[in-house]
Amino acid sequence: MKLLKHFLFTGILAIMITYNAFASLEINFNSHYGIAFPFNSIKVNDNYKNTIYDSVDGTLGFEALLFFQIGNYFKLFEDDYTSIIKGVSLFGDIGFSINALMSDYKENNNKYMELMAFYSIMVGATVKLNFSKMSIGFGTGILAPLYSVVASSKYGGVIAAPDDLDNWNVNDMRNLFKAPIMPYVKLTVEGFLYLVPNFAVTLGGYMMYNFGMQYKTDVINSNLGNNIYNKYNFSDLSIGLVLAISLGRYN
């Protein structure tokens, strides 16, 4: 009898948890469009100071993210209608991103431009504080590049890689970078326009810091045929627009 009671209790509890989880299910279809401000951190050997290799400065870029969020909405202060915070949402994020980063460098007082455009899988997690018709989100994760197009206004590829390597696949990036992934953190502020209960159009803004990647300086020095770089890292800060559709969020 005790075993039967224990079995019934466990079954009822499991049903309640499952029901509550799916009853609070929240799904978002998100898109971010932003302007990126790249940063390069470069150290060269003494013989290459004040050369093109020492002058690469991040200028501008853009990014676009399309991703899917699925998670759970946890309602807070259910009986307190005066509470500012209505609930907390926890999400898993998966999607696709394009990051195009531009830099300038100088040679004999002439300025040239180079471009690195990364096509990446995005995997991350987000927590959102939900107010009546808006939310503030904090997210983190990684961008895993699948392919990259690189170009220079003077050379075939960027000056940190051989001229003939103007498109990078996964194996190329594994060879060129210490870790071929780009961690990120981001902040979002979103407003919700409810068309029907639990269905809303989202409009807002975001700020995101992409930690970028670190070149393997021994590899690129070998590729270039000279001992040029001691350090070459890049990162970027972006700001932009959030457009999304939200399903299951409470008003």
Side-chain angles (χ1 to χ4, degrees):
M1 183 63 70
K2 288 184 178 181
L3 183 62
L4 180 60
K5 288 181 179 180
H6 177 75
F7 178 79
L8 289 174
F9 174 77
T10 304
I12 292 170
L13 183 61
I15 292 171
M16 290 176 63
I17 292 173
T18 303
Y19 173 79
N20 288 331
F22 282 97
S24 303
L25 184 68
E26 187 175 352
I27 299 173
N28 297 326
F29 300 92
N30 270 283
S31 60
H32 292 181
Y33 307 95
I35 299 172
F37 302 93
F39 305 100
N40 296 322
S41 179
I42 298 172
K43 289 184 179 180
V44 298
N45 290 315
D46 289 342
N47 293 339
Y48 293 92
K49 288 185 177 179
N50 301 315
T51 67
I52 60 172
Y53 304 104
D54 193 30
S55 66
V56 184
D57 292 320
T59 55
L60 197 61
F62 69 89
E63 67 182 8
L65 295 88
L66 299 174
F67 61 101
F68 174 75
Q69 288 184 318
I70 184 167
N72 219 59
Y73 184 105
F74 298 94
K75 194 170 184 179
L76 303 177
F77 313 113
E78 189 168 357
D79 298 324
D80 184 1
Y81 297 101
T82 64
S83 174
I84 296 176
I85 299 176
K86 303 299 182 182
V88 175
S89 297
L90 301 177
F91 293 101
D93 304 344
I94 185 166
F96 179 77
S97 78
I98 300 174
N99 303 80
L101 306 178
M102 292 179 282
S103 299
D104 287 341
Y105 61 93
K106 296 179 181 179
E107 185 177 21
N108 299 324
N109 295 320
N110 294 318
K111 186 177 288 187
Y112 299 97
M113 183 273 292
E114 65 178 32
L115 168 73
M116 296 191 299
F118 294 96
Y119 300 81
S120 309
I121 293 294
M122 171 188 174
V123 179
T126 301
V127 57
K128 293 183 181 181
L129 297 178
N130 297 312
F131 305 88
S132 179
K133 291 186 178 180
M134 68 168 292
S135 69
I136 297 176
F138 305 89
T140 186
I142 60 169
L143 303 174
L146 301 176
Y147 188 73
S148 179
V149 175
V150 299
S152 165
S153 59
K154 182 176 181 181
Y155 300 102
V158 297
I159 59 176
D163 293 351
D164 59 350
L165 193 59
D166 55 1
N167 295 293
W168 301 341
N169 59 31
V170 172
N171 289 331
D172 293 327
M173 285 182 277
R174 286 176 179 170
N175 183 52
L176 286 170
F177 298 103
K178 291 183 179 180
I181 58 172
M182 297 183 285
Y184 70 84
V185 292
K186 68 175 179 175
L187 169 69
T188 60
V189 179
E190 301 167 76
F192 295 83
L193 175 62
Y194 286 87
L195 304 180
V196 295
N198 296 346
F199 179 84
V201 175
T202 304
L203 179 64
Y206 78 95
M207 179 181 294
M208 178 171 170
Y209 186 76
N210 177 347
F211 290 88
M213 294 187 287
Q214 301 180 34
Y215 283 101
K216 295 178 180 177
T217 54
D218 57 336
V219 171
I220 59 176
N221 285 338
S222 175
N223 290 338
L224 294 171
N226 290 290
N227 187 25
I228 299 170
Y229 293 106
N230 288 321
K231 175 185 177 183
Y232 196 146
N233 307 339
F234 69 88
S235 60
D236 72 89
L237 176 69
S238 57
I239 57 173
L241 181 68
V242 176
L243 294 173
I245 294 175
S246 180
L247 304 174
R249 186 183 188 275
Y250 287 84
N251 189 351

